[in-house]
């Protein structure tokens, strides 16, 4: 439902309202502003009014929290709800066909129920017919054309080649199929992967999981131009969350919706006057309209920071956020990028919110959740908006993690060697340290550094510079975002949480994406400078980015075996044993009542 224009903030959507202060120590944290216009002025001080003021500056729409002075941007609750539904759609239980006659008791009994039905041939189109054993009437079950695959024997081959970095042209040569057939098989594999994942991941909200230590980051992907007359690239952003302990990737979400009819949305937006409204009050607030893109090109600030020392890069992150019209949106459009011709690009801040609200439902039964977030104000705001109840209940904590990775291999090795020498010197400084493990010694050092946190940025966030590098994170700083200053955690507990801080879980998945998916590897550009250029292996259809990431997420979680001879799903407790690509593609595993018609 679209918000009436006389309301000061967007109305809630199915109970969801995110327009509140995002400062965890503020009394307004989790308490939304009123949608009704509030009386102001000296004579109205005694009236029961909220403690927010709506600021409608040019290019900005935000609420000022009068309790702490923060300015959270106003968001469309409807747009967030639409993203949550988009991400949750694969978990929806498909209704199993049953006897269509309401007078029959088998009307609520699925066709997979033993002895309830018998097969009764097929129709001319190939649909399976059944006869009900109670009423003796027959009916046909139409199968999705996706399931009626020709050349089924090459499905597993195509699946394996896709996740082992073979370019699409070479897959066609190896499997002896045409490019059209390959795309149909990718569509089939994608649907099967989602169905397979859903049968397992529907169990997560009921699982007894004491703690999760999750890393969150995003990865950009470039899509080549789709029209010869318009050689601009399309830039998509994929946000992922992975468990640092088991390596299980719970979700990877792209700010692109392939199911939107772009022309229809543009026409409808024009008819209802969406372009004349502030973004959060629009019916189509979630997606980029042409006017949004044109307006963004006029602003287009250069936010590219130089590679400097770690503290400078943290300060750059805060400075970049402040420059934006919306501190939570990192979308930057340039003359070298365009909107997709099919589907629609989603405003990245709404993808962030949908991502975390999706996990709030998925993690309903998790005892405690610790999020380790890449330093991005939009990720922080979305996380705290979704989990504010858990934050106040001390069942959720969030940390910024900033990693400087630009060093060469030799520089990383030098930093690692220096760290080992420093740890050895620390051990030798006291006889009481001699019997301690390296972990215990590092814990003592981190605990000591809690007394010397560094204040950085406009919001005076306090950072700990982690003194023990490794090859994947040679320089790292950590900031506790959900410190309620109630001393609920002692220093030992805090030192443990800081030591757990890493982006390694999601970074490893992103690294594997680049290494194992040909279409999503680091771009091989035909130009010498970044901008308008053709990328050697990048796809032309933006929908392929999300599909390939979904396919690889399932493969990574259920098929790929680690050094411990287990898959991430086995470590998490979602799978009891090994899963193969064939298992995923078998229709019986994905949809129990569907016959194998590959």
């Amino acid at each position: 439902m679209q918000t009436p224009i006389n309301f000061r903030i967007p109305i809630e959507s199915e109970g969801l309202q995110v327009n509140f202060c995002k400062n965890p120590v503020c009394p307004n944290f989790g308490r939304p502003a009123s949608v009704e216009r509030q009386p102001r002025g000296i004579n109205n001080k005694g009236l029961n009014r909220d403690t927010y003021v709506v600021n409608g500056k040019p290019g900005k729409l935000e609420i000022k929290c009068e309790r702490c002075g923060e300015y959270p941007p106003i968001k469309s609750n409807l747009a967030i709800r639409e993203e949550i539904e988009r991400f949750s759609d694969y978990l929806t239980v498909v209704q199993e066909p049953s006897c269509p006659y309401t007078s029959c008791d088998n009307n609520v009994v699925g066709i997979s129920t033993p002895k309830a039905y018998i097969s009764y041939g097929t129709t001319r189109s190939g649909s399976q017919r059944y006869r009900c054993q109670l009423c003796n009437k027959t009916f046909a079950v139409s199968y999705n054309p996706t399931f009626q695959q020709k050349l089924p024997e090459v499905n597993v081959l195509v699946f394996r080649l896709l996740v082992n970095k073979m370019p699409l042209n070479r897959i066609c040569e190896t499997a002896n199929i045409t490019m059209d057939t390959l795309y149909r098989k990718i569509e089939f594999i994608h649907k099967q992967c989602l169905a397979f994942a859903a049968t397992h991941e529907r169990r997560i909200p009921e699982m007894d999981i004491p703690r999760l230590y999750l890393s969150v980051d995003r990865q950009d992907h470039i899509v080549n131009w789709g029209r010869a007359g318009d050689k601009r690239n399309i830039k998509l952003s994929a946000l992922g969350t992975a468990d640092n302990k088991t390596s299980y990737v719970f979700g990877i979400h792209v700010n692109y919706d392939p199911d939107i009819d772009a022309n229809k949305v543009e026409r409808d937006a024009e008819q209802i006057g969406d372009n004349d409204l502030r973004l959060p009050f629009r019916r189509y607030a979630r997606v980029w309209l042409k006017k949004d893109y044109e307006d963004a090109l006029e602003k287009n600030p250069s936010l590219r920071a130089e590679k400097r020392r770690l503290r400078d890069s943290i300060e750059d992150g805060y400075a970049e956020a402040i420059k934006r019209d919306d501190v939570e949106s990192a979308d930057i459009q340039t003359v070298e990028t365009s909107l997709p011709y099919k589907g629609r690009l989603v405003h990245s801040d709404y993808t962030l919110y949908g991502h975390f609200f999706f996990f709030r439902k998925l993690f309903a039964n998790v005892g405690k959740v610790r999020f380790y977030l890449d330093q991005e104000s939009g990720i922080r705001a979305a996380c705290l908006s979704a989990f504010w109840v858990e934050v106040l209940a001390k069942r959720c904590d969030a940390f910024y993690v900033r990693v400087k990775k630009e060093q060469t291999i030799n520089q990383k090795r030098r930093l690692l060697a220096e760290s080992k020498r420093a740890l050895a010197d620390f051990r030798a400084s006291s006889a009481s340290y001699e019997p301690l493990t390296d972990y215990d010694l590092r814990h003592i050092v981190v605990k000591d550094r809690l007394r010397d946190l560094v204040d950085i940025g406009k919001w005076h966030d306090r950072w700990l510079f982690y003194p023990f590098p490794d090859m994947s994170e040679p320089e790292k700083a950590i900031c506790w975002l959900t410190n309620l200053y109630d001393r609920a955690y002692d220093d030992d507990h805090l030192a443990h949480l800081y030591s757990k801080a890493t982006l390694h879980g999601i970074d490893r998945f992103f690294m594997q994406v680049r290494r194992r998916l040909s279409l999503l590897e680091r771009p091989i550009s035909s130009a010498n400078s970044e901008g308008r250029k053709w990328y050697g292996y990048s796809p032309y259809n933006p929908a392929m980015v999300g599909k390939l990431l979904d396919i690889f997420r399932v493969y990574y979680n259920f098929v790929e075996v680690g050094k411990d001879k287990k898959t991430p799903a086995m470590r998490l407790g979602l799978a009891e044993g090994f899963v193969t690509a064939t298992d995923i593609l078998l229709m019986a595993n994905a949809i129990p009542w569907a016959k194998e018609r590959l």
Side-chain angles (χ1 to χ4, degrees), residues 471-520:
M471 293 300 288
S472 61
E473 295 178 333
E475 289 188 69
K476 179 169 63 179
I478 305 140
C479 174
W480 184 22
L481 299 172
T482 49
N483 184 359
L484 302 181
Y485 296 97
D486 55 0
R487 298 298 299 173
Y489 302 151
D490 60 28
D491 285 350
D492 282 312
H493 193 170
L494 279 177
H496 173 73
L497 293 178
Y498 275 96
S499 296
K500 287 277 190 181
T502 179
L503 298 178
H504 178 71
I506 192 61
D507 281 352
R508 183 182 182 278
F509 174 76
F510 284 152
M511 177 186 68
Q512 291 290 308
V513 166
R514 296 295 195 195
R515 289 182 176 180
R516 300 192 63 159
L517 296 178
S518 176
L519 268 67
L520 302 184

Side-chain angles (χ1 to χ4, degrees), residues 22-89:
K22 307 303 191 297
N23 180 359
V25 296
C26 177
N28 275 343
F29 180 59
R31 298 177 60 183
S34 172
V35 298
E36 304 290 345
R37 297 189 180 278
Q38 301 292 290
R40 297 294 170 188
I42 297 177
N43 296 329
N44 294 317
K45 278 189 174 181
L47 297 178
N48 184 22
R49 64 188 189 189
D50 70 12
T51 50
Y52 292 99
V53 176
V54 174
N55 284 337
K57 301 177 183 178
K60 295 185 178 182
L61 190 59
E62 53 197 12
I63 50 175
K64 177 186 177 182
C65 175
E66 295 183 317
R67 295 288 186 89
C68 70
E70 292 297 321
Y71 289 83
I74 294 177
K75 299 296 177 184
S76 165
N77 302 299
L78 173 62
I80 296 171
R81 175 64 59 189
E82 289 173 339
E83 283 292 87
I84 297 171
E85 292 173 355
R86 180 165 75 96
F87 301 152
S88 305
D89 184 60

Side-chain angles (χ1 to χ4, degrees), residues 370-383:
R370 316 296 190 190
F371 285 105
Y372 296 106
L373 316 172
D374 181 46
Q375 188 204 354
E376 168 54 53
S377 57
I379 295 178
R380 170 192 175 277
C383 177

Side-chain angles (χ1 to χ4, degrees), residues 140-172:
V141 175
S142 298
Y143 289 95
N144 189 314
T146 302
F147 299 144
Q148 301 179 21
Q149 287 279 303
K150 296 180 179 179
L151 302 176
E153 64 278 4
V154 302
N155 287 330
V156 175
L157 175 62
V158 170
F159 190 178
R160 289 172 176 163
L161 295 179
L162 270 178
V163 298
N164 281 283
K165 206 176 182 179
M166 183 171 282
L168 298 191
N169 286 332
R170 303 291 79 78
I171 293 177
C172 290

